């Protein structure tokens, strides 16, 4: 039965009643057997100590009373006489020692001769007083019992002492030999009792069908809840005609008394037909029986199938209201048919205007006398409409109906501005339908155009329905239904049908608008421009999320201009970028791609963050200027945050252009927003950008995001940033992936209206043993010293194969720095995914690669470096420059050298 619920029967995880009883009984048996064994062991220990005590006393007394002991003690040399006799007695009695001593405790005999003449360790006072003392001590040979007895002369004077001792283990060995038999008997008892317990549990399992206590309780609760909650009466009658169970609905339908259980069927006062059916137990299906003013459909089955108890179960269903509902069902069936036919006749093409015409023609022929459809101008242009949909204007797109051209309705192509003071204008703004059952009452709708309203009423139009075309949360337009020849006004049921009809048509209109080349291009462009994965680098452990805005709340298919990037930089550094282009659609996505490409290009120049943003700002301004000349839409707004993290020093430098402050999570779980100076958004120009620089400890987390994460319609950006900080505070054990999930689960709105880009980077610090640096004096003879030191370090790093190439590169770079540069020269080697060589000086002159002529004596150094190194370049600093090269490590690339060089992240 446990298998029915998908749980395996495990001895360690019993959930059935039988299993729990079995485990309880086995536990009791094991406890009893263990207690018995423990008692026997304790008893054996007590007996062993008693035996050791008796034997030591007996041996000591026997030796003390042996003939010649007193004379030996009084002789000039007692040890000569007593030592052989004591050893012979010890070996014969089986004790561990027999020691004879004078009244001061000085030994005359001992199994170890070096102990003779030394003071005895033990309590001698009772023996000196003429008594016998025993004590348990732990000696060098283990726990033992020693006895001390006096040796007296004929006058009863104590002239010496005798001590005999035996270890407890020597006495208990006999008892220990009986332990196998003892434990074997215990195991047999355990097996017998376990077998008996298993038989009892098996019977319990059959009785409970393998169910556990929780399952039995749940089954009873569900059984009771279902019986009393169903809208069908249930009666169970035994084979003897006695009612075993009747639920609440059965009591209500048949008017049964409260004490119905246990009574005979013929004692309930039922009508003869129903009473005979319940007593007979025959099988019936949907047999109708009149009971009072009700018509009950009765189903009855026998309960003795598949070995069940004899009897029958009867279900009762009230069908009185079916006749009343049959008329409504016909109406509903007609409306369902109408909606089905609308689905086949509306939306046959992917043309917006034609779809509106199909809606007007279908509804004008089958639902209303005249139908008009108006669409927002953006929809007609294939663009995304505003969320309110009513916008500044709508254009009449389709009109259908007999005599529609003779009415005062606006013609096709007319631009209509709906008055917000009218019920129609207010309803459209809120996306709600409007029902004007009696237009002649002039309830305010006529304020849209009083003259046309008067002419409509004169024509005979008396009732109107207006239903917005809604799709994906935005209003595409409005469909209006008018009645003139049909005398019956529109009612709430007509409004419900019109909403269903318009909802289906709105989907077709929106599909026609969305199914365009722009949509496909936007989605393709978005996917191609965003990063598809993280680059290989060791500076940070990163995770990211990009969520487009929900379609229908802005943007074409949710395409927007948020982006992020991780760019590896020379020197094992990494650049973290997050940006946001205002707007949605193809233009925003294309602009995002241009800016992302520009950031990559500027990053390849190894510019500091503030200088990179300055160049990016100039680029955006130039784009705006160029696109303004041909009437194209410029960059309506863009923000960017650029950070560089150096794992060798652990420092992070950040600059931002109008972007949100990054959140810094420290290893101890505290969170704070980095106070990065705020620059203007990109494209404004005229103001410099400032940088924020701070060393970050190992396992710090830098959280970069766009405003879509912390700001939406119901929450301002400050409140969102506070929620973000509160959500991530105190959980330093989260991985970057878990941090992303925690932030999104707390801050992601149900219907996001803006893109969300989130980048979380956990910092690593380069192991100090993987960095080596030297200061080089401006002396050509120092080149050899640097080369030798570098080779030693590479051999220490197990990079002897790369040492020759690195030696050539360093030799050329240091020689050039000594010859052409100024100020102190510094050399640094970094072992990361590649071997990085850096030579820094205080000169701002950048070396240039050139092809030397055959007659030139020099000029081939950089060419040689370019051939030997995988990459090389120049990075400018505040006080000079750094020339760097990267040399691939073949061993680590193939996995032969072991783990990456950065210290591992915290678990």
């Amino acid at each position: 039965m446990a298998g029915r619920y998908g749980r395996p029967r495990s001895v360690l995880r019993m959930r059935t009643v039988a299993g729990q009883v079995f485990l309880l009984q086995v536990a009791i048996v094991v406890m009893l057997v263990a207690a018995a064994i423990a008692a026997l062991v304790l008893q054996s220990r007590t007996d062993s100590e008693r035996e050791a005590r008796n034997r030591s006393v007996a041996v000591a007394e026997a030796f003390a009373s042996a003939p010649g002991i007193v004379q030996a003690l009084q002789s000039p040399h007692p040890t000569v006489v007593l030592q052989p006799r004591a050893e012979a007695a010890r070996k014969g009695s089986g004790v561990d020692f027999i020691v004879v001593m004078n009244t001061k405790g000085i030994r005359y005999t001992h199994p170890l001769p070096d102990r003779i003449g030394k003071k005895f360790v033990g309590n001698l006072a009772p023996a000196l007083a003429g008594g016998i003392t025993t004590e348990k001590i732990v000696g060098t040979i283990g726990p033992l019992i020693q006895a001390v007895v006096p040796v007296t002369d004929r006058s009863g004077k104590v002239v010496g002492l005798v001590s005999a001792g035996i270890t407890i283990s020597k006495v208990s060995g006999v008892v220990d030999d009986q332990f196998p038999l003892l434990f074997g008997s215990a195991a047999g008892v355990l097996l017998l009792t376990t077998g008996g317990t298993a038989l009892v549990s098996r019977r319990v399992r059959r009785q409970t069908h393998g169910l556990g206590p929780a399952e039995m309780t749940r089954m009873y609760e569900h059984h009771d809840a279902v019986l009393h909650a169903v809208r069908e009466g249930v009666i169970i009658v035994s084979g003897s005609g006695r009612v075993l169970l009747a639920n609440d609905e059965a009591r209500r339908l048949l008017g049964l008394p409260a004490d119905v259980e246990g009574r005979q069927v013929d004692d309930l006062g039922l009508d003869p037909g129903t009473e005979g059916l319940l007593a007979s137990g025959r099988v019936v299906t949907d047999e109708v029986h009149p009971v009072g003013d009700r018509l009950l459909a009765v189903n009855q089955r026998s309960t003795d199938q598949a070995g069940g108890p004899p009897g029958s179960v009867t279900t009762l269903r009230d069908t009185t209201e079916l006749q009343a509902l049959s008329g409504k069902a016909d109406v509903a069936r007609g409306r369902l048919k109408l909606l089905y036919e609308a689905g086949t006749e509306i939306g046959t093409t992917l043309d917006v205007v034609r779809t509106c015409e199909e809606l007007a023609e279908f509804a004008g022929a089958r639902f209303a006398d005249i139908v008009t459809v108006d669409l927002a101008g953006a929809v007609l242009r294939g663009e995304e409409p505003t969320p309110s949909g009513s916008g500044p204007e709508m254009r009449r797109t389709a009109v259908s109906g007999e005599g529609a051209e003779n009415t005062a309705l606006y013609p096709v192509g007319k631009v209509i501005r709906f008055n917000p003071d009218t019920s129609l204008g207010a309803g459209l703004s809120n996306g709600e339908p409007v029902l004007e059952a009696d237009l002649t009452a002039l309830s305010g709708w006529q304020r849209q155009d009083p003259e046309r309203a008067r002419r409509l009423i004169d024509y005979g139009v008396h009732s109107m329905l207006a239903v917005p075309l809604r799709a994906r949360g935005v209003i595409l337009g409005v469909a209006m239904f008018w009645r003139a020849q049909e005398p019956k006004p529109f009612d709430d049921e007509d409004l419900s049908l019109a909403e269903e009809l318009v909802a289906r048509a709105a989907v077709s209109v929106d599909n026609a608008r969305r199914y365009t080349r722009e949509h496909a291009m936007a989605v393709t462009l978005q996917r191609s421009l965003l990063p598809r994965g993280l680059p290989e680098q060791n500076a940070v452990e990163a995770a990211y999320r990009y969520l487009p805005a929900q379609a229908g709340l802005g943007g074409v298919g949710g395409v927007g201009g948020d982006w992020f990037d991780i760019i590896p930089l020379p020197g094992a550094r990494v650049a973290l970028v997050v940006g946001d282009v205002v707007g949605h659609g193809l233009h925003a996505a294309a602009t995002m791609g241009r800016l992302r490409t520009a950031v990559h290009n500027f990053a390849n120049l190894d510019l500091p963050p503030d200088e990179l943003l300055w160049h990016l700002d100039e680029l955006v301004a130039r784009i705006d200027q160029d696109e303004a000349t041909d009437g194209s839409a410029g960059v309506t707004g863009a923000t960017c945050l650029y950070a560089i993290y150096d794992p060798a020093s652990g420092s992070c430098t950040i600059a931002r252009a109008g972007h949100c402050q990054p959140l810094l999570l420290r290893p101890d779980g505290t969170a704070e927003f980095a106070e990065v100076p705020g620059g203007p958004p990109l494209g404004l120009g005229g103001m410099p950008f400032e940088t924020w620089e701070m060393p970050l400890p190992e396992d710090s987390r830098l959280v970069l995001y766009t405003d879509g994460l912390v700001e939406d319609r119901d929450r301002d950006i400050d409140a969102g940033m506070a929620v973000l900080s509160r959500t991530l505070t105190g959980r330093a054990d989260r991985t970057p992936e878990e941090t992303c999930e925690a932030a999104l689960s707390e801050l992601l709105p149900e219907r996001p209206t803006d893109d969300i880009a989130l980048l979380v980077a956990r910092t690593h610090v380069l192991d100090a043993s993987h960095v080596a640096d030297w200061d080089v004096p401006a002396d050509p003879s120092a080149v050899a010293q640097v080369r030798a030191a570098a080779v030693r370090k590479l051999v220490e790093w197990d990079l002897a194969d790369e040492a020759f190439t690195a030696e050539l590169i360093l030799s050329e770079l240091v020689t050039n720095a000594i010859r052409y540069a100024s100020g102190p020269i510094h050399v640094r080697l970094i072992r990361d995914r590649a071997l990085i060589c850096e030579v820094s000086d205080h000169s701002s002159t950048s070396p240039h690669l050139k092809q030397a002529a055959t007659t030139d004596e020099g000029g081939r150094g950089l060419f040689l470096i370019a051939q030997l190194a995988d990459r090389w370049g120049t990075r400018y600093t505040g006080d000079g420059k750094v020339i760097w090269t990267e040399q691939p490590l073949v061993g680590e690339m193939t996995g032969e050298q072991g783990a990456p060089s950065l210290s591992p992240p915290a678990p």
Side-chain angles (χ1 to χ4, degrees), residues 322-337:
L322 291 179
Q323 294 295 329
L325 294 176
S326 60
K328 295 182 179 180
D330 292 338
V331 176
R333 189 179 301 109
R335 294 193 171 185
L336 287 175
K337 182 180 179 182

Side-chain angles (χ1 to χ4, degrees), residues 723-745:
V723 173
L724 176 64
S725 176
R726 185 169 59 252
T727 301
L728 302 184
T729 298
R731 290 300 303 273
D733 57 336
R734 283 178 176 149
T735 65
E737 288 286 346
E738 293 171 343
T739 303
C740 288
E741 289 300 326
L744 290 179
S745 62

Side-chain angles (χ1 to χ4, degrees), residues 605-625:
L605 297 177
D606 214 353
L607 301 176
D610 55 339
E611 188 174 347
L612 183 142
L613 291 182
W614 182 81
H615 285 286
L616 198 62
D617 179 64
E618 281 198 332
L619 175 64
V620 173
R622 190 160 55 250
I623 292 175
D624 279 337
Q625 183 178 1

Side-chain angles (χ1 to χ4, degrees), residues 428-446:
L428 290 179
S429 299
N430 299 325
E432 299 174 352
V434 176
L435 169 61
E436 291 285 351
D438 185 8
L439 294 177
T440 60
L442 300 177
S443 58
W445 66 274
Q446 73 280 359

Side-chain angles (χ1 to χ4, degrees), residues 289-469:
H289 282 256
V291 178
D293 56 350
R294 296 187 178 94
L295 291 176
L296 302 182
V298 182
N299 290 272
Q300 187 166 274
R301 295 291 185 273
S302 175
T303 60
D304 60 359
Q305 300 178 4
S312 62
V313 57
T314 306
T315 61
L316 311 170
R317 186 174 67 255
D318 191 354
T319 62
T320 308
E321 298 180 358
L322 291 179
Q323 294 295 329
L325 294 176
S326 60
K328 295 182 179 180
D330 292 338
V331 176
R333 189 179 301 109
R335 294 193 171 185
L336 287 175
K337 182 180 179 182
L338 178 66
L339 293 175
Y340 172 78
E341 293 174 350
T344 61
E345 299 183 24
I346 301 175
T348 59
T349 68
L350 291 175
D351 181 81
V352 173
V353 175
R354 181 55 193 156
T355 302
C356 293
E357 291 173 350
E358 290 173 347
L359 170 62
E361 292 168 0
F362 180 86
R366 310 191 188 189
F367 179 67
D369 296 327
I370 302 173
V371 179
T372 63
V373 180
D374 308 323
L375 291 182
V379 177
L380 291 172
R381 294 190 300 269
E383 301 173 358
E384 186 76 11
T386 60
S388 63
S390 58
E393 60 187 31
M394 286 193 181
R395 186 178 299 272
R396 179 134 297 173
T397 307
V399 177
S400 179
E402 185 178 353
E405 66 278 2
N406 300 324
T407 66
L409 295 173
Y410 294 116
V412 173
K414 174 68 176 179
V415 176
I416 307 172
R417 293 179 176 270
F418 290 97
N419 189 346
D421 295 333
T422 64
S423 58
L424 179 59
L428 290 179
S429 299
N430 299 325
E432 299 174 352
V434 176
L435 169 61
E436 291 285 351
D438 185 8
L439 294 177
T440 60
L442 300 177
S443 58
W445 66 274
Q446 73 280 359
R447 288 197 295 271
Q448 174 69 29
D449 192 333
E451 177 60 24
R452 289 182 179 273
R454 184 186 60 77
R455 291 167 55 190
L456 281 174
I457 294 176
D458 292 343
Y459 181 79
V461 178
H462 59 84
S463 186
M464 183 270 293
L465 275 176
V467 181
L469 281 88

Side-chain angles (χ1 to χ4, degrees), residues 243-263:
V243 177
L244 300 178
L245 182 144
N247 68 346
D248 296 343
E249 186 68 7
R251 297 170 189 264
R252 185 183 71 84
L253 294 177
L254 298 179
L256 299 176
D259 58 345
V260 63
E261 279 87 355
R263 297 175 60 176

